[in-house]
DNA sequence: CCCAAGTCCTGGTTGC
DNA sequence: TGCAACCAGGACTTGG
C-alpha cells in the first residue's frame, strides 16, 4: 500500500526525472480515476506543458505543469507511477502520457482503481486543505499531538489513520508505529499520558523515516518508478504478523479490527 | 465467497 | 432543545 514512505520514494524519482520535460501526448486515460476534468479535455489541458518540481502532501503527489495546471495523484491501494520505455507492455494502465523525446512515457498503473488523478487549473487546494501537517517532515511536535489527542475517545489507531490530524500514515505504518511506541491500537486516543505522547511522536517520525530510507514497503503491489520494490517489508515487526511471536516478549501477536481496519499487535507489550 | 486497502459519504450518538 | 463535533460503518474495486 502506498503510504507516505512509498509516495516519497516515487516523488523523489519523479522530481529527478520530470522537471523541464513535457507531456507530448496523452495516450490514454481511464475516466473512472479522473477527477476535476473531462477525459476529452485532458489533452488540450496538459499537452505541451513542461513539468515543474514534484511535491508531496501526505499521500498525495503534486505534479505542477506550466500555465498553472496541476496533476494531483493519489495512488490509492495498488497505484503505481512508472517511467517506462515506450515499447513496454503494461497492464491496468489508467493514464499514459508520452514524454518529450518520445523514448519513454509516464504511466499511472492501478489494479484496483482506488487511485485518483485530479487535473486542476490552479493549485489543488480543495483536495489538500483538509490534511494535517505532514507526518514525516511536517512542522509539528508532541504538544501538537497532545492537543489533537485531547478529548478524543476514538481508538488510537483510528486517530493515526485520520489524515486530518497528521497526513501520510496508513495501515502498515500505523501498526509499526504503535508497536514501536508500545501502545495498544485500541487505546482511547485522549487517554495518553505525556510520556506516551512523546513516545508516539518519536515513533511516527522514526518509522516513517525508516520506511523512506528502505524505499517503501512492497508487501503487496508497491514498486518505484522503475518497477523496483522497496525493502521495508523485511523490517516489519507487527503488520501482518498475527500469530507470530512478538520480538520483545515472544508471545504471539493478536489480530483485531479497529476502525474497520485489521490491526496486529502484542497484547502484553502494547498498552 | 470473502478479505484487504484509503477515502468519501451517510447516519447515528454524544456532549455542551 | 439545538447544534456541532465526533465516531462507526458502508460503498467503491478486483485479485488472491
Amino acid at each position: 500500500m502506498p503510504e507516505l514512505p512509498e509516495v516519497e520514494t516515487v516523488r523523489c524519482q519523479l522530481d529527478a526525472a520530470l522537471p523541464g520535460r513535457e507531456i507530448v501526448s496523452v495516450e490514454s486515460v481511464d475516466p473512472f480515476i479522473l477527477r476535476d476534468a473531462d477525459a476529452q479535455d485532458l489533452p488540450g489541458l496538459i499537452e505541451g506543458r513542461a513539468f515543474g518540481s514534484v511535491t508531496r502532501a501526505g499521500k498525495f503527489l503534486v505534479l505542477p505543469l506550466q500555465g498553472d495546471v496541476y496533476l494531483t495523484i493519489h495512488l490509492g491501494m495498488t497505484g503505481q507511477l512508472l517511467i517506462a520505455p515506450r515499447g513496454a507492455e503494461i497492464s491496468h494502465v489508467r493514464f499514459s502520457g508520452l514524454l518529450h523525446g518520445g523514448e519513454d512515457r509516464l504511466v499511472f498503473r492501478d489494479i484496483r482503481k482506488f487511485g485518483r488523478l485530479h487535473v486542476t487549473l490552479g493549485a489543488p487546494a480543495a483536495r489538500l486543505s483538509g490534511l494535517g501537517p505532514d507526518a514525516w517532515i511536517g512542522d509539528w511536535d508532541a504538544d501538537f499531538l497532545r492537543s489533537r489527542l485531547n478529548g478524543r475517545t476514538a481508538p488510537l489507531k483510528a486517530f493515526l489513520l485520520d489524515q486530518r490530524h497528521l497526513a501520510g500514515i496508513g495501515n502498515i505504518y500505523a501498526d509499526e508505529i504503535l508497536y514501536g511506541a508500545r501502545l495498544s491500537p485500541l487505546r482511547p486516543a485522549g487517554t495518553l499520558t505525556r510520556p506516551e505522547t512523546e513516545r508516539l511522536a518519536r515513533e511516527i517520525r522514526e518509522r516513517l523515516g525508516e520506511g523512506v530510507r528502505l524505499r517503501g514497503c512492497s508487501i503487496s503491489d508497491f514498486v518505484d518508478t522503475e518497477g523496483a520494490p522497496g525493502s521495508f517489508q523485511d523490517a516489519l515487526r507487527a503488520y501482518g504478523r498475527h500469530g507470530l511471536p512478538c520480538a520483545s516478549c515472544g508471545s504471539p501477536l493478536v489480530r483485531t479490527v479497529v476502525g474497520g481496519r485489521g490491526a496486529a499487535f502484542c497484547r502484553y507489550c502494547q498498552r
Side-chain angles (χ1 to χ4, degrees), chain A residues 80-189:
Chain A
Q80 304 171 346
L81 274 175
L82 304 166
I83 296 179
R86 200 164 53 139
E89 293 251 350
I90 303 173
S91 64
H92 304 97
V93 171
R94 307 303 172 193
F95 168 87
S96 176
L98 196 61
L99 292 166
H100 179 70
E103 293 307 308
D104 48 22
R105 46 168 55 121
L106 176 66
V107 172
F108 184 7
R109 174 172 191 260
D110 188 11
I111 297 171
R112 295 196 189 168
K113 299 170 85 163
F114 271 33
R116 296 290 178 262
L117 167 62
H118 299 265
V119 182
T120 57
L121 201 50
R127 198 51 43 190
L128 307 180
S129 62
L131 298 178
D134 192 86
W136 180 44
I137 52 170
D139 181 20
W140 60 272
D141 58 14
D143 284 336
F144 169 84
L145 203 53
R146 192 175 174 78
S147 71
R148 288 300 192 123
L149 289 164
N150 192 32
R152 285 175 201 277
T153 59
L156 191 50
K157 175 152 179 178
F159 174 90
L160 290 178
L161 293 175
D162 189 337
Q163 307 295 302
R164 293 172 300 183
H165 302 308
L166 287 176
I169 301 169
N171 210 34
I172 295 172
Y173 291 90
D175 274 7
E176 295 304 303
I177 288 163
L178 290 168
Y179 181 85
R182 307 194 310 278
L183 292 166
S184 166
L186 299 168
R187 182 79 174 272

Side-chain angles (χ1 to χ4, degrees), chain A residues 54-73:
Chain A
V54 179
T55 60
R56 180 185 59 75
K59 303 174 195 172
F60 287 89
L61 283 165
V62 181
L63 285 60
L65 289 163
Q66 285 174 325
D68 209 29
V69 175
Y70 291 81
L71 306 185
T72 304
I73 296 171

